[in-house]
Amino acid sequence: MNVRVYPNGDLASIAAAVLIAGQVVDNPRSVLGLATGSTPLPIYRELIAMAHRGVLDFQNVTTYNLDEYAGLGPDHPCSYRRFMQENLFSHLQMRPEQIHIPNGLAEDPDAECRAYDAAIAAAGGLDLQLLGLGSNGHIGFNEPAPHFTTNSYCVRLSEQTRRDNRRFFAEGEQVPTHALTMGIASIMQARRIVLVATGPNKAQAVKRMVDGPVDPMVPASILQMHRHATILLDADAAALL
Ligand code: F6R
């Protein structure tokens, strides 16, 4: 794993955007795995700015998002479908057929997850997967557990993750208990992985991901085994390295 530390989050985000842009310039038909949450927002703003300047063209890109809350439909303000539409896709004029996100309302979530993995495989696999890092070491919604997960599946969210994500939900609204997520094997099959972590609340998870043993209680530590994983950190997230 190639770890790069930047003085601040803005520079780490620009570095991530440059890697994604490079992928799309090299192969305009790239298949990208995308993430939601706070971390990707400045990265998406950079990509949008590059597209608006005419440097980048997303018209032939295909995207697969990491995860979606179970029980939230595409119009729910906290659904990841809505997040992606508002923070990236609508600004790039992406067409619905380019975009893939697990269906949080699927009657049979397991079948939805199987179909999701099959669709990624049929698209030729992910050229580049963008990841954030949970403060508990999760990637996607693969929570700390006794074993690494394999393919996409419906997961029960840990209490820490539900607390961390409370900030996105309105007062009085329940944070969902479950989510559909790409599994660890699905993520590890990506040809390139770019993980970005910023801020002091990620420092402990970063330390365990980079310096600790490969341990399913720190799901991101599996990235030590990936052939082409780039970890972009700001100084706060890298403070314990
Ligand atoms: C989001 C996802 C999560 C987040 C992680 C960090 O699609 O899969 O793993 O990347 O929870 O979230 P932020 O960036 O909000 O700190």
Side-chain angles (χ1 to χ4, degrees):
M1 123 205 278
N2 176 357
V3 180
R4 300 180 197 165
V5 182
Y6 294 86
N8 58 56
D10 286 345
L11 293 177
S13 304
I14 292 170
V18 166
L19 292 182
I20 296 168
Q23 171 65 45
V24 173
V25 168
D26 277 353
N27 176 10
R29 309 192 74 81
S30 288
V31 181
L32 301 180
L34 297 179
T36 56
S38 304
T39 309
L41 285 174
I43 302 171
Y44 293 158
R45 281 197 290 271
E46 283 297 325
L47 291 175
I48 291 165
M50 289 183 206
H52 288 180
R53 284 203 297 273
V55 185
L56 264 190
D57 181 359
F58 280 85
Q59 290 314 295
N60 294 308
V61 163
T62 304
T63 67
Y64 288 85
N65 263 78
L66 280 167
D67 38 25
E68 178 60 285
Y69 288 114
L72 300 194
D75 297 328
H76 190 287
C78 298
S79 75
Y80 285 166
R81 161 76 65 168
R82 174 96 170 251
F83 174 100
M84 290 305 298
Q85 201 57 37
E86 287 178 355
N87 292 298
L88 187 67
F89 298 147
S90 65
H91 302 274
L92 300 176
Q93 280 81 46
M94 284 180 62
R95 302 177 308 282
E97 63 271 23
Q98 293 177 266
I99 297 165
H100 304 83
I101 301 181
N103 176 8
L105 297 180
E107 270 180 35
D108 182 344
D110 293 334
E112 169 70 12
C113 289
R114 281 194 299 277
Y116 200 67
D117 282 337
I120 294 173
L126 301 167
D127 292 305
L128 184 153
Q129 174 67 57
L130 175 65
L131 296 174
L133 177 67
S135 64
N136 63 357
H138 75 211
I139 48 176
F141 273 139
N142 293 282
E143 300 284 33
H147 305 286
F148 285 112
T149 58
T150 54
N151 299 326
S152 301
Y153 68 114
C154 185
V155 61
R156 182 178 189 87
L157 297 175
S158 73
E159 282 314 308
Q160 182 170 351
T161 294
R162 294 183 72 224
R163 266 197 310 278
D164 285 350
N165 289 2
R166 165 87 261 152
R167 67 191 193 279
F168 295 111
F169 287 77
E171 180 121 7
E173 189 165 6
Q174 282 275 16
V175 180
T177 55
H178 290 76
L180 285 70
T181 183
M182 279 188 207
I184 293 288
S186 313
I187 293 170
M188 288 294 280
Q189 280 160 19
R191 287 181 273 282
R192 178 161 203 190
I193 290 180
V194 176
L195 182 144
V196 184
T198 54
N201 66 324
K202 302 292 172 71
Q204 192 64 45
V206 165
K207 168 87 180 149
R208 297 180 72 195
M209 166 180 71
V210 173
D211 286 343
V214 174
D215 177 355
M217 292 307 288
V218 187
S221 63
I222 192 79
L223 299 180
Q224 293 177 27
M225 314 285 288
H226 195 277
R227 268 187 293 175
H228 200 181
T230 305
I231 312 296
L232 304 175
L233 307 172
D234 71 355
D236 286 338
L240 301 179
L241 294 182

